[in-house]
Amino acid sequence: DEYLRHIHELREGITERSDLNYIQDLLEKDGDETKLMYSLSNLLRMLGQCYHEEVVVLIDEYDALMQEAYEGGFSNEAIRFFKTFYGTALKGNKNVRICLLTGVFEIAKDSLSSSLNNPSVFTVLDKKFSSYFGFSEQECEALLSYYGLEKNIEKVKEWYGGYRFGNYEVINPWSTLHYIDKQG
C-alpha cells in the first residue's frame, strides 16, 4: 500500500531499472518472502532518493501482526520475518531521521529489538511524553472553538476527560474528534 501511495514520486525519482522492476513485482503481488522482508528498507531508501531527505517512519500497532502470529501458531516464522523487516529498515539506516513504533506490547529484548539499535521504550507511565497522550483542556477548547462548538466544552470534558498520564490530565482525542465529526 505504501509503494502504491508513493507511486508517482517513485516513478519520477527512481532511475534504476532494478528498483522499478522490484516495485512492479510488489505491486503485482509477485514478491517472494525475501523481497517482502526487505520491502520497507527498500521503500525508505527509494523515498530518501526521491525527496533528497531523511524519512520519518511512523508504525502504529507494530505488535498487532505478532499477536496474530502467536495466536495462529506461527510466531517463530513471524519473528524471523519481522527481525529482518524492521532490522534492515530501521537499524543504522541513513535514510531514516526518526522512527516511532506504537503498540500495546513492549518490544521484547530477545526478539525484534535485537535487530534494532536499542530502541527507547516509553509507556503511559513515563512523564517525558505524557502530555502527548491526549488533548489538553486548552487544546480542546481551541478545537471546539474552531468548529463553533465552544459552548460544549464542559460536556466534552465530562464525557471524554479525566485521563491522567504522568502529571497531565488529558481529554481523549479520538472521542473528541468523533464528537466534533458527529456535530457537523
Side-chain angles (χ1 to χ4, degrees):
D1 286 348
E2 286 305 303
Y3 277 90
L4 197 53
R5 193 163 75 91
H6 296 284
I7 194 64
H8 177 74
E9 294 86 353
L10 292 169
R11 286 192 175 142
E12 293 290 319
I14 299 299
T15 57
E16 293 292 323
R17 176 72 44 233
S18 60
D19 283 341
L20 294 170
N21 290 339
Y22 179 86
I23 293 168
Q24 194 60 39
D25 286 350
L26 290 177
L27 293 178
E28 292 175 1
K29 300 190 182 352
D30 188 24
D32 60 20
E33 184 176 4
T34 301
K35 281 182 184 171
L36 295 174
M37 288 168 73
Y38 289 90
S39 61
L40 180 57
S41 177
N42 286 329
L43 177 62
L44 299 175
R45 176 181 54 78
M46 291 178 207
L47 288 174
Q49 288 174 358
C50 288
Y51 290 105
H52 307 287
E53 289 187 58
E54 294 171 317
V55 179
V56 173
V57 182
L58 306 172
I59 301 174
D60 190 23
E61 296 185 17
Y62 82 93
D63 53 349
L65 295 172
M66 288 302 301
Q67 180 66 23
E68 210 172 289
Y70 176 76
E71 291 171 1
F74 55 96
S75 59
N76 288 338
E77 295 89 341
I79 287 172
R80 183 179 59 76
F81 178 88
F82 284 111
K83 278 178 90 162
T84 300
F85 183 77
Y86 288 131
T88 60
L90 304 177
K91 183 176 183 175
N93 189 332
K94 66 181 180 180
N95 297 297
V96 175
R97 170 178 274 164
I98 191 168
C99 175
L100 175 68
L101 297 169
T102 68
V104 175
F105 300 110
E106 184 175 331
I107 296 176
K109 300 293 183 209
D110 59 344
S111 64
L112 294 181
S113 72
S114 64
S115 294
L116 301 177
N117 238 2
N118 299 317
S120 298
V121 176
F122 299 97
T123 71
V124 295
L125 301 176
D126 293 305
K127 293 181 180 174
K128 185 172 185 175
F129 298 106
S130 58
S131 65
Y132 299 104
F133 283 99
F135 291 143
S136 69
E137 186 174 331
Q138 295 79 15
E139 290 169 327
C140 194
E141 286 174 359
L143 187 62
L144 290 171
S145 179
Y146 179 83
Y147 287 101
L149 299 168
E150 58 275 354
K151 66 183 184 304
N152 301 342
I153 184 64
E154 292 305 319
K155 183 188 311 183
V156 169
K157 285 180 2 188
E158 178 185 343
W159 288 357
Y160 310 124
Y163 295 95
R164 180 168 285 290
F165 296 101
N167 295 328
Y168 294 91
E169 187 167 315
V170 296
I171 300 167
N172 183 306
W174 187 91
S175 297
T176 303
L177 294 174
H178 185 70
Y179 172 81
I180 290 169
D181 184 52
K182 292 298 178 189
Q183 300 306 306

